């Protein structure tokens, strides 16, 4: 089973990673997130010699693929510690936590699951739960009645159809109540080491900003991105893109002026471009704040999140 430390490169000692963890300015040449690499809108110099600027040629598919792969390499340097941000100790816990993460934050899920798994540590235990009691345990995650129904259903299916074990195949996982392709790919990639692309709201938003695709449907987005990258990159690519979306490239106000991949982004300028103002928008370890996991991997450079009701 792949642990939650999957994809750690062991390079967190780099100045850039330290800068990411503290929000401090990285030394020149490190590519750290606090010091951008001279971000500028793609399209060339502002100096036109007094002549009208020729319209930029449309980017070819090959050029887009090369740019996308370079973005992935740059993100691997910025987030060598990227990981799934749900706390889990086994495939069953990851499956349940991912189901609970719908329409809420991973932090709120991580603050809720310790009591849930203490009460129901196995599929057999959870399948026999009293619905009203489970609802109270998971109430902080929202939509607790629907989520209780899904957890009871998937636990019963695991007990009755899979001998109490979480299956390691996509076709089996998506048959479980409340489990779609996104959830299945999270479980496969992080609990079984089977490559998968996780198209959540962050991933979809960023790949459209980066002009990898215009598709809105998550299944179509997954198919397009799968054609751009080798299968071996799928799981870690997902973590890196989601990390970047949560920390830098926010939905409403992206921190363009503090973005380490700004020169590669065709949507540069949609957010704050002033470096000092943009740095104030950075979140989690990039802004010196706690992350979403109560029990993060050992190589995570930020602070653990507080337990429910603490702080």
């Amino acid at each position: 089973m792949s642990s939650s430390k999957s994809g750690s490169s062991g390079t967190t000692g780099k100045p850039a990673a330290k800068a990411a963890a503290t929000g401090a300015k990285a030394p020149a040449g490190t590519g750290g997130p606090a010091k951008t690499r001279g971000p500028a809108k793609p399209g060339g110099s502002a100096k036109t010699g007094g002549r009208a600027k020729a319209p930029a040629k449309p980017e070819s598919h090959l050029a887009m693929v090369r740019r996308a792969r370079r973005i992935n390499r740059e993100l691997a340097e910025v987030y060598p510690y990227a990981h799934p941000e749900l706390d889990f100790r086994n495939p069953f816990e990851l499956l349940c936590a991912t189901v609970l993460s719908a329409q809420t934050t991973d932090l709120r899920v991580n603050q809720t699951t310790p009591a849930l798994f203490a009460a129901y540590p196995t599929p057999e235990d959870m399948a026999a739960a009293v619905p009203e009691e489970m609802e109270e345990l998971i109430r902080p995650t929202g939509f607790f009645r629907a989520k209780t129904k899904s957890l009871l259903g998937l636990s019963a299916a695991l007990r009755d159809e899979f001998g109490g074990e979480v299956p390691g195949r996509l076709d089996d996982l998506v048959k479980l109540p409340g489990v779609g392709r996104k959830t299945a790919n999270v479980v496969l990639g992080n609990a079984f080491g089977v490559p998968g692309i996780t198209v959540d709201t962050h991933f979809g938003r960023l790949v459209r900003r980066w002009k990898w695709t215009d598709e809105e449907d998550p299944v179509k987005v997954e198919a397009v991105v799968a054609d751009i990258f080798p299968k071996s990159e799928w799981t870690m690519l997902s973590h890196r893109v989601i990390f970047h979306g949560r920390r830098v490239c926010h939905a409403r106000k992206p921190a363009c002026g503090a973005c380490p991949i700004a020169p590669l982004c065709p949507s540069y300028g949609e957010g704050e471009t002033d470096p000092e103002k943009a740095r104030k928008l950075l979140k989690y370890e990039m802004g010196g704040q706690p992350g979403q996991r109560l029990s993060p991997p050992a190589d995570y450079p930020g602070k653990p999140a507080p337990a429910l009701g603490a702080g």
Side-chain angles (χ1 to χ4, degrees):
M1 172 183 134
S2 174
S3 75
S4 61
K5 299 178 184 177
S6 64
S8 171
S9 68
T11 58
T12 55
K14 290 184 177 181
K18 290 182 179 179
T22 63
K25 184 174 288 188
T30 64
K35 182 180 187 302
T36 63
R37 303 170 187 177
K41 285 187 179 181
S45 168
K47 296 180 180 180
T48 60
R51 293 173 294 177
K53 189 176 180 180
K57 293 182 179 179
E59 185 178 44
S60 69
H61 178 74
L62 178 59
M64 181 275 291
V65 169
R66 288 174 173 168
R67 180 171 56 82
R69 292 183 176 184
R70 184 176 172 191
I71 286 175
N72 182 42
R73 292 193 299 271
E74 296 284 338
L75 293 179
E77 291 292 320
V78 177
Y79 308 109
Y81 49 85
H83 59 271
E85 293 194 88
L86 290 169
D87 287 329
F88 70 99
R89 295 170 296 184
N90 54 56
F92 177 62
E93 290 189 356
L94 179 58
L95 177 62
C96 294
T98 308
V99 169
L100 290 175
S101 69
Q103 304 299 313
T104 191
T105 63
D106 285 357
L107 170 59
R108 186 48 57 92
V109 174
N110 292 335
Q111 292 173 326
T112 303
T113 50
L116 177 70
F117 296 141
Y120 315 114
T122 69
E124 292 82 0
D125 295 322
M126 189 172 286
V130 176
E132 292 77 13
E133 293 177 359
M134 182 182 290
E135 287 175 3
E136 286 306 308
L137 288 174
I138 68 172
R139 182 183 290 268
T141 69
F143 301 94
F144 56 91
R145 291 191 178 90
K147 291 178 181 179
T148 293
K149 184 178 180 180
S150 293
L151 292 181
L152 290 172
L154 71 84
S155 297
L158 292 176
R159 177 196 62 195
D160 298 339
E161 300 174 30
F162 297 99
E165 300 290 334
V166 176
R169 295 193 328 127
L170 180 68
D171 290 346
D172 292 331
L173 285 168
V174 295
K175 293 177 183 176
L176 298 172
V179 178
R181 287 187 66 90
K182 185 192 83 169
T183 297
N185 279 327
V186 169
V187 173
L188 290 174
N190 298 289
F192 293 101
V194 177
I197 295 172
T198 302
V199 184
D200 70 353
T201 55
H202 301 287
F203 192 96
R205 179 179 75 252
L206 266 62
V207 300
R208 285 187 287 273
R209 276 182 176 165
W210 294 335
K211 309 302 181 187
W212 296 359
T213 180
D214 293 325
E215 298 288 354
E216 297 280 347
D217 179 77
V219 175
K220 293 180 179 178
V221 171
E222 180 184 340
V224 170
V225 176
D227 283 340
I228 297 174
F229 296 92
K231 195 171 183 178
S232 60
E233 286 291 309
W234 290 356
T235 298
M236 287 310 302
L237 169 72
S238 300
H239 292 325
R240 294 164 189 151
V241 174
I242 293 170
F243 255 58
H244 194 63
R246 285 175 170 164
R247 287 150 177 78
V248 180
C249 195
H250 312 133
R252 295 184 180 178
K253 200 169 185 181
C256 294
C259 179
I261 60 165
L264 298 171
C265 181
S267 298
Y268 173 80
E270 286 187 8
E272 179 59 65
T273 57
D274 179 84
E276 293 301 324
K277 292 179 180 179
R279 271 194 283 274
K280 295 178 181 179
L281 300 174
L282 300 177
K283 294 184 178 180
Y284 304 113
E285 79 282 358
M286 307 286 275
Q289 304 155 0
Q292 301 206 76
R293 293 189 67 165
L294 278 66
S295 302
D299 61 353
Y300 176 62
K303 304 173 184 176
L308 191 64

